[in-house]
Amino acid sequence: MASIHPSSMLRYFICIICVILHFRFLPSIAAGPLVGVEVLDAMSPAMEKALDRGDRFGRDLAGLGDVDGDGVIDLVAGTRSDDDGAEDAGAAYVLFLNSDGTIKKQQKLSALEGGFGNEFLEGVQSTFLGYGVAGIGDVNGDGVPDLAMTQARAGGRRGVGALHVVFLNKDGSVLLKNTTQGVPGFGLASLGDLDKDGRVEVAACFPEADDGGSRQGAIEIYSINPNGSVSRRQRISSVSGGLGDVLNDGDRFGGRDVSVLGDLDGNGVSDLAVGAFGTDEGRGAVWVLLLDRKLSVIDKARLGNGSPGFSLPLDPEDNLGHAVVGVGDLDGDGVGDLVTGANRDDDAGEDTGALIVMLLNPDGSLKAARKFIGEDAGFELNLPEGGRFGRSLGLIGSGGYGNLLRLAVGGGAGTTGSISILFLDPRQLGEAVLSSVESTRNEKAKYDDSANAEMRPHRRSSEQGHINRQHRPFRERFHQRND
């Protein structure tokens, strides 16, 4: 038998060790949609001494593209209560990621770091820079992805803030910046080139807007020009943009996030998901908006408590729709699907939070939905009470890691803030949602059969007493099973 050279054997063992280390974060043998998770917080080596309690690291999240050219998509994390330059001045971090979700290095953008400058402070506190962040692609054509970010307050007016379009260097610092005043600042999302005019659009969230009534909410869509200036294209609310009079006071339409879902209805224009976390006493909802080329609403569907096909248990102030993100087609039907957060859901503990995966029909209505609370088989996560898991969402994509979805989820309320990078198998995620709905239907069918059987005539002896026809509604039983 031929002998193995010692150097070859050494290389073999080195390769085995590298593979083991690379997959160190994978669950032992659990089968399910969650393949792995990496938590980014103040304990992460690259963030050591960078974060303080109450900074709200990860308050908004977005995939940036590959900023440093290493083949892995990077992440921007809004940190709206950072105190660089003033109390609650705000900041954002460009996080350069490894393929396993860990942070290779980071660049902070604030009044004191990264070349961002401090003119946005305008002599007032609580500007909340980084309340909204969005990756907008390479706007200026220099080969480096760029970003946009909002502040929630400018000149002392909370809610009416500013939009900053930031051209980046490859190290994440600021090359150039263009600021537009008077833009709502409670959230921001990149929409891609919605109308195919060669410019990327962003949506700014204004859930406090009084269009049509108190805090009914609104979003504003802007096109970004190559020099970083912006043109306002559309305002969508109960009184503009074709939405119609469908909102109630306190709905807070716009939420903290908007997301592109792809072209659901096949008219050549991508469609949107918009959160409305104040709906129905804070149970929350998500609106799916089908758009035309003028970016007006031509059809819509509300997803939430009382809407067709939605049977998930929600309590007041669960805040469904606080964040939303399109995740592509999970079930192979050719229609884009979405994930939303219910960041104050109590099913796994007070304000622990939850993720809700929604499969959609071509008209934007709900096909199926499932709530994941961190205790489901194949989706085990150690979520602390009060952490508000799901208060922000960002799709990083599959860069550097095959076909898995990499979903960034904000949480860690009451601490510095944290980000969980979830590695998800999209096929298994879609199957988990569909199987959950089928299981629920089967259980309901059994219950209905049992109820019908008890309604049939019975021959009773005097010892049998009365037939007990008191049944809890299926919805109540479903809720108690998931508490």
Side-chain angles (χ1 to χ4, degrees), residues 67-199:
V67 178
D68 58 353
D70 67 349
V72 180
I73 296 174
D74 302 309
L75 177 69
V76 58
T79 309
R80 61 93 154 174
S81 291
D82 185 274
D83 294 332
D84 276 12
E87 183 179 352
D88 288 333
Y93 286 90
V94 177
L95 303 177
F96 297 92
L97 300 181
N98 296 307
S99 60
D100 63 359
T102 57
I103 304 174
K104 179 170 61 176
K105 59 181 179 179
Q106 53 91 354
Q107 174 62 63
K108 185 179 186 179
L109 303 178
S110 72
L112 304 180
E113 296 192 37
F116 191 85
N118 63 1
E119 63 275 4
F120 72 94
L121 296 175
E122 298 182 354
V124 299
Q125 293 183 343
S126 303
T127 48
F128 299 119
L129 178 70
Y131 217 126
V133 295
I136 55 176
D138 182 13
V139 174
N140 62 345
D142 65 352
V144 180
D146 304 308
L147 70 86
M149 52 198 300
T150 57
Q151 63 188 78
R153 178 181 290 168
R157 299 172 61 201
R158 190 170 188 269
V160 181
L163 171 64
H164 307 276
V165 175
V166 183
F167 298 140
L168 296 176
N169 295 306
K170 293 193 72 172
D171 64 359
S173 62
V174 176
L175 173 65
L176 291 169
K177 180 182 66 174
N178 199 322
T179 298
T180 301
Q181 299 289 336
V183 176
F186 282 116
L188 189 68
S190 178
L191 307 179
D193 184 5
L194 283 180
D195 56 357
K196 306 298 188 295
D197 69 348
R199 297 179 297 172

Side-chain angles (χ1 to χ4, degrees), residues 127-428:
T127 48
F128 299 119
L129 178 70
Y131 217 126
V133 295
I136 55 176
D138 182 13
V139 174
N140 62 345
D142 65 352
V144 180
D146 304 308
L147 70 86
M149 52 198 300
T150 57
Q151 63 188 78
R153 178 181 290 168
R157 299 172 61 201
R158 190 170 188 269
V160 181
L163 171 64
H164 307 276
V165 175
V166 183
F167 298 140
L168 296 176
N169 295 306
K170 293 193 72 172
D171 64 359
S173 62
V174 176
L175 173 65
L176 291 169
K177 180 182 66 174
N178 199 322
T179 298
T180 301
Q181 299 289 336
V183 176
F186 282 116
L188 189 68
S190 178
L191 307 179
D193 184 5
L194 283 180
D195 56 357
K196 306 298 188 295
D197 69 348
R199 297 179 297 172
V200 65
E201 276 75 48
V202 295
C205 305
F206 197 3
E208 309 302 307
D210 293 331
D211 294 32
S214 176
R215 293 183 174 179
Q216 289 195 9
I219 63 171
E220 291 191 353
I221 299 176
Y222 295 83
S223 294
I224 298 179
N225 301 311
N227 66 352
S229 63
V230 301
S231 305
R232 178 175 154 178
R233 298 295 308 283
Q234 184 65 271
R235 184 179 178 103
I236 298 177
S237 71
S238 60
V239 298
S240 62
L243 181 63
D245 186 16
V246 295
L247 301 176
N248 297 310
D249 289 358
D251 276 2
R252 293 180 172 175
F253 172 80
R256 301 286 189 250
D257 214 352
V258 177
S259 185
V260 173
L261 297 173
D263 183 9
L264 300 182
D265 57 354
N267 71 341
V269 181
S270 291
D271 305 306
L272 304 181
V274 183
F277 65 87
T279 300
D280 190 18
E281 297 181 309
R283 289 177 176 84
V286 175
W287 285 90
V288 175
L289 308 182
L290 307 184
L291 303 181
D292 63 17
R293 290 194 177 276
K294 295 182 180 179
L295 309 186
S296 296
V297 178
I298 55 176
D299 204 353
K300 55 197 174 275
R302 175 184 168 276
L303 313 180
N305 197 38
S307 64
F310 191 93
S311 60
L312 300 180
L314 291 176
D315 296 320
E317 299 185 7
D318 273 358
N319 285 357
L320 173 72
H322 196 271
V324 294
V325 63
V327 291
D329 179 13
L330 298 178
D331 59 341
D333 65 353
V335 179
D337 304 308
L338 68 91
V339 175
T340 183
N343 76 108
R344 303 196 73 167
D345 185 274
D346 299 327
D347 286 4
E350 185 177 358
D351 284 352
T352 296
L355 296 183
I356 295 177
V357 181
M358 296 181 170
L359 308 182
L360 303 181
N361 295 309
D363 62 357
S365 62
L366 186 66
K367 178 179 183 180
R370 177 173 176 175
K371 182 191 290 188
F372 294 91
I373 62 173
E375 297 178 351
D376 302 86
F379 211 91
E380 295 87 352
L381 292 169
N382 183 21
L383 301 179
E385 286 196 8
R388 297 179 64 183
F389 183 75
R391 67 178 179 174
S392 57
L393 296 167
L395 185 64
I396 309 174
S398 59
Y401 205 78
N403 294 321
L404 296 180
L405 291 174
R406 296 200 298 168
L407 182 66
V409 185
T415 66
T416 61
S418 67
I419 304 167
S420 297
I421 308 295
L422 307 185
F423 289 74
L424 298 164
D425 183 315
R427 179 183 61 83
Q428 290 200 41

